[in-house]
Amino acid sequence: MKLKKLLLAVFSVSLLCVSCEQEDIENTTPEAEAEVISQDKVSKAVLAKLEALNLNTEDVEISEFVLPDGTKKQTFIIEGDIAIDAEQLDAMQPGNITSKQYRTYNLVSAPRTLNVVGWTGGSQSLTQKQRDALQAALDNYNEIEIGLSFTLEFSTNQAAADIVVFQNPNGAAGGVAGFPSAGNPYGFVQIYSGMEAFSLGTNTHVMAHEIGHTLGLRHTDWFTRQSCGRPSFGELANPSGAVHIPGTPFRLDPESIMLSCFSTNEDGEFGANDVVALEYLY
């Protein structure tokens, strides 16, 4: 059993809020998308939308997502490391669930090759350890016989990338990514600079986990957050809200790379059920 679990985005709400500038917002009508982003708190309308999408609404936070070119975008952080902005939230629609490892309703169009750029510019440049981890994570994906393959270059050529992986120099541990939209993977993966304190295997695990989100994989324990030390009984969100992938367990799978939290001694390798999930989806 894996112990000493760490949140993949940030271990505590206080750490996450270091990168958030907080202020109050005014009440707005449901039609106004401006209500989607609040500096101080998430509006009831947004929480209702997230609940309708069967996302876990526990501890939803707001963060400033800084892209490699310096562009800043306010984003909801859900389940610790999943980024969804206002535009994407508005476009996402609930699906019909006929069954209950988990995926979103949004997947990447396949077969295709996805071009990944490991960022090499300025303070958001990946360290050598992070570059090695990204290469190892993509090698692991490419070893699975699925309809997606990955190329990798280390550059600042953002225009050529389907996914840009870059460092957030805020000193926290973990990473943040988002879900696919319009058949394309989420375009950005942030890896926090605090990962430099961890092994290559743990960095590889985090890279593979965040890339998994960009392909539509959800946390395997999204409903209880059991890997983060939450109680294993009961559920924090509607259990039929994530699409169960046939052939994978309903129970906690301690070997899954898509657990909500990670340990300090990860090896970066997929669990057997992760492979089943990816082969089924792609």
Side-chain angles (χ1 to χ4, degrees):
M1 183 67 66
K2 297 179 180 178
L3 303 176
K4 297 183 180 178
K5 294 292 181 176
L6 300 172
L7 277 175
L8 274 155
V10 184
F11 185 73
S12 71
V13 171
S14 62
L15 283 176
L16 179 60
C17 289
V18 168
S19 63
C20 305
E21 300 205 1
Q22 306 216 339
E23 61 186 47
D24 294 331
I25 67 161
E26 300 177 357
N27 292 329
T28 55
T29 63
E31 292 79 13
E33 285 306 315
E35 75 176 345
V36 171
I37 295 293
S38 159
Q39 289 282 356
D40 184 56
K41 61 183 179 180
V42 180
S43 71
K44 292 181 179 179
V46 170
L47 292 175
K49 174 72 171 179
L50 293 172
E51 186 174 5
L53 292 166
N54 299 294
L55 292 164
N56 193 319
T57 57
E58 289 284 313
D59 303 323
V60 178
E61 294 291 331
I62 298 163
S63 180
E64 188 173 68
F65 203 110
V66 182
L67 301 180
D69 62 3
T71 302
K72 297 179 180 180
K73 176 167 58 173
Q74 286 185 308
T75 307
F76 296 115
I77 303 297
I78 300 163
E79 298 176 23
D81 72 323
I82 300 168
I84 300 180
D85 62 32
E87 183 179 355
Q88 186 179 24
L89 180 63
D90 187 52
M92 294 177 71
Q93 297 295 326
N96 294 320
I97 305 301
T98 57
S99 65
K100 318 209 280 289
Q101 239 109 287
Y102 295 89
R103 67 174 176 89
T104 64
Y105 308 119
N106 296 9
L107 294 176
V108 176
S109 299
R112 65 189 289 190
T113 297
L114 298 176
N115 301 314
V116 179
V117 166
W119 194 254
T120 59
S123 64
Q124 292 177 296
S125 175
L126 296 179
T127 67
Q128 187 59 56
K129 182 185 290 185
Q130 291 166 347
R131 297 182 195 191
D132 292 344
L134 178 56
Q135 180 68 71
L138 293 179
D139 286 347
N140 288 343
Y141 274 101
N142 283 330
E143 287 177 2
I144 305 173
E145 295 186 6
I146 58 177
L148 297 175
S149 60
F150 298 84
T151 64
L152 174 62
E153 68 172 277
F154 294 105
S155 71
T156 57
N157 187 14
Q158 184 173 334
D162 294 299
I163 304 170
V164 177
V165 183
F166 61 98
Q167 180 178 225
N168 183 322
N170 72 356
V176 175
F179 293 140
S181 59
N184 296 313
Y186 192 80
F188 298 96
V189 171
Q190 288 190 52
I191 300 298
Y192 290 122
S193 57
M195 289 306 302
E196 196 66 14
F198 297 90
S199 68
L200 176 61
T202 300
N203 274 263
T204 301
H205 175 101
V206 172
M207 290 285 186
H209 177 106
E210 300 305 338
I211 291 169
H213 283 319
T214 72
L215 305 180
L217 291 178
R218 293 188 64 168
H219 293 140
T220 52
D221 62 337
W222 71 276
F223 43 91
T224 62
R225 310 275 284 164
Q226 186 179 346
S227 66
C228 305
R230 297 287 186 95
S232 60
F233 55 86
E235 293 182 338
L236 299 177
N238 184 346
S240 62
V243 186
H244 178 250
I245 299 171
T248 64
F250 292 95
R251 58 175 171 75
L252 179 77
D253 177 5
E255 301 304 316
S256 174
I257 210 162
M258 294 307 299
L259 289 174
S260 299
C261 294
F262 65 94
S263 74
T264 59
N265 60 346
E266 303 289 356
D267 59 14
E269 300 298 321
F270 289 114
N273 291 308
D274 297 324
V275 175
V276 170
L278 287 163
E279 290 178 341
Y280 178 85
L281 295 177
Y282 292 110

